[in-house]
Amino acid sequence: MPNIPHNLQTIGAEIAECCKPVNRAFGHVQLLAVSKRHGVDAIKQAYDAGQRAFGENYVQELVEKAQALKSLDIEWHFIGALQSNKSKDIADIADWVHTIDRLKIARRLSEQRPAELPPLNVCLQLNVNNEESKSGVGLSELEALAEAVSKLPNLKLRGLMAIPEATHDEATQRANFALVAAAKDTLNAKGYELDTLSMGMSSDMPAAIAEGATIVRIGTAIFGART
Ligand SMILES: *Cc1c(COP(=O)(O)O)cnc(C)c1O
């Protein structure tokens, strides 16, 4: 059994270490605990250790966990590929969606967001390296999508999310994350007010933080290997 409270502490310390050399405040990098394919007991252990933001990739799993844990003050982030026919559940439950890559799904989420809930926080997923196998909007279509999404009444456009090409070369990791950060700066120069960069996982967290990540998404290093 992984020691979840201990792992959370270790990662918190690692985030702090990553912030130092680049003069960033520790409090500006949020740890998103990616709990996909781990049970509600694991989530409760992390919650009891003070973790509040959890990320899930599968709609049905999120629905079941949110139901089982509804007495807890959890912030749910949906970080998986979202199909239109499942958007209603996400609009009902999630606080954040990181993976908006087309207008159709954004429109549905806005229409389906219950009136009594605050606007759904969303990030646009950027396909930085234009990889065929990955979802995400290309750089050339990003601004048009941002413009359309920012007009939807029940969504709040917060920033960009990316999963760059897998590589162990830190210079390449940084160059890719820098592209995402630059895309956010370009949009902000045009009047957007994006405050979020969701980027960095266990294998590339230092590079992501160095380039301005505000949310890092970590699963295995907290909860252990997925079955
Ligand atoms: C699973 C997942 C993570 C976490 O990955 P780990 O390797 O378990 O840390 C982060 N982001 C996304 C989008 C994921 O699907």
Side-chain angles (χ1 to χ4, degrees):
M1 276 291 284
N3 185 335
I4 292 171
H6 174 263
N7 292 346
L8 282 169
Q9 221 168 30
T10 305
I11 292 159
E14 276 172 27
I15 292 174
E17 275 307 304
C18 292
C19 285
K20 263 192 227 154
V22 290
N23 288 315
R24 296 196 56 207
F26 172 63
H28 290 174
V29 183
Q30 182 186 24
L31 173 61
L32 180 63
V34 178
S35 44
K36 65 177 176 219
R37 294 204 254 134
H38 292 283
V40 292
D41 289 350
I43 296 177
K44 275 210 76 179
Q45 283 181 44
Y47 184 90
D48 289 340
Q51 180 68 29
R52 291 293 176 271
F54 292 87
E56 290 285 339
N57 289 55
Y58 306 101
V59 176
Q60 192 52 36
E61 219 184 301
L62 173 57
V63 169
E64 285 164 19
K65 289 173 178 173
Q67 177 62 28
L69 298 169
K70 67 170 182 250
S71 61
L72 305 186
D73 166 35
I74 287 181
E75 184 178 282
W76 290 111
H77 292 236
F78 188 75
I79 61 171
L82 185 51
Q83 288 150 8
S84 310
N85 60 348
K86 302 205 173 137
S87 59
K88 174 71 175 128
D89 285 325
I90 297 300
D92 283 342
I93 295 169
D95 299 292
W96 284 74
V97 174
H98 292 223
T99 45
I100 301 292
D101 63 358
R102 56 197 195 280
L103 183 56
K104 184 183 167 201
I105 202 88
R107 273 208 193 106
R108 285 179 69 97
L109 287 168
S110 183
E111 282 162 11
Q112 293 168 334
R113 183 70 167 172
E116 68 274 16
L117 293 182
L120 179 61
N121 297 294
V122 300
C123 292
L124 306 182
Q125 183 174 356
L126 183 60
N127 188 348
V128 215
N129 306 109
N130 287 313
E131 291 172 276
E132 291 255 346
S133 61
K134 281 198 185 137
S135 29
V137 61
L139 254 182
S140 57
E141 308 131 75
L142 179 66
E143 191 183 340
L145 183 60
E147 184 177 1
V149 169
S150 67
K151 291 184 179 135
L152 296 172
N154 300 319
L155 302 188
K156 184 163 171 54
L157 179 58
R158 296 294 297 269
L160 305 179
M161 178 273 209
I163 310 171
E165 59 181 326
T167 168
H168 291 294
D169 179 48
E170 192 166 352
T172 308
Q173 291 175 355
R174 282 193 63 159
N176 285 328
F177 289 133
L179 282 173
V180 187
K184 169 176 162 268
D185 291 345
T186 301
L187 288 172
N188 282 349
K190 294 182 175 167
Y192 293 87
E193 293 177 339
L194 308 184
D195 59 10
T196 300
L197 287 173
S198 166
M199 56 190 199
M201 327 207 298
S202 310
S203 53
D204 53 14
M205 188 177 81
I209 291 175
E211 297 300 339
T214 64
I215 300 180
V216 291
R217 308 178 310 266
I218 309 289
T220 311
I222 299 171
F223 298 108
R226 290 179 284 273
T227 45

